[in-house]
Amino acid sequence: MLLEKLRLLECSLHDDRRKDREWLERLLHPAFLEITRSGVMVNRSETITSLLNEKTASPIISSHFRLTEMGGGCAMLHYRTSYADGSRPALRSSCWLFSDKGHWTLVFHQGTPAKGTA
């Protein structure tokens, strides 16, 4: 099921794999862009550098995944996150493309602060 596959790939960016340069370079599309939770636009290189230099990451809880298949090997994943203590809730959207190498790559991600719970 595509939802489960993309959920697992997305959540790999919330655990120790976010410190694995080879994994990040495989997973993030060459044209990757992100609008961060704080409203800053960053590119693939900046994202990889930021993740690799992260001192400690609080555990991220992800939930309420929804998938929209848009055809042509493109899918949009929507979900919610927060830290384990419930702080920093966010709504998230990720656009995934199926690559010519036969795997899914993340081409765009946006996190927006959320109010309350879903």
Side-chain angles (χ1 to χ4, degrees):
M1 180 174 183
L2 185 56
L3 173 60
E4 183 61 12
K5 180 170 190 60
L6 294 181
R7 185 189 71 77
L8 290 171
L9 288 172
E10 188 78 36
C11 288
S12 76
L13 294 167
H14 303 166
D15 62 26
D16 291 341
R17 291 203 93 174
R18 68 195 284 129
K19 295 283 195 186
D20 180 342
R21 177 181 291 278
E22 186 176 316
W23 175 249
L24 294 172
E25 289 176 352
R26 179 177 180 268
L27 194 64
L28 300 181
H29 188 278
F32 174 81
L33 290 173
E34 176 179 7
I35 300 174
T36 67
R37 188 180 181 286
S38 57
V40 176
M41 178 81 78
V42 293
N43 65 27
R44 181 178 186 259
S45 177
E46 292 167 321
T47 297
I48 290 172
T49 298
S50 176
L51 291 173
L52 294 176
N53 290 328
E54 210 172 47
K55 297 296 181 212
T56 57
S58 296
I60 298 170
I61 306 301
S62 304
S63 63
H64 298 86
F65 286 89
R66 291 182 300 128
L67 180 71
T68 303
E69 294 185 53
M70 299 188 297
C74 182
M76 184 71 72
L77 189 64
H78 303 277
Y79 63 103
R80 293 183 65 88
T81 61
S82 68
Y83 286 162
D85 66 2
S87 66
R88 295 186 53 86
L91 299 174
R92 306 222 176 238
S93 295
S94 294
C95 184
W96 290 87
L97 293 176
F98 195 71
S99 76
D100 56 0
K101 296 178 183 176
H103 63 270
W104 287 93
T105 59
L106 182 57
V107 70
F108 179 78
H109 179 79
Q110 181 169 355
T112 303
K115 294 182 181 182
T117 58

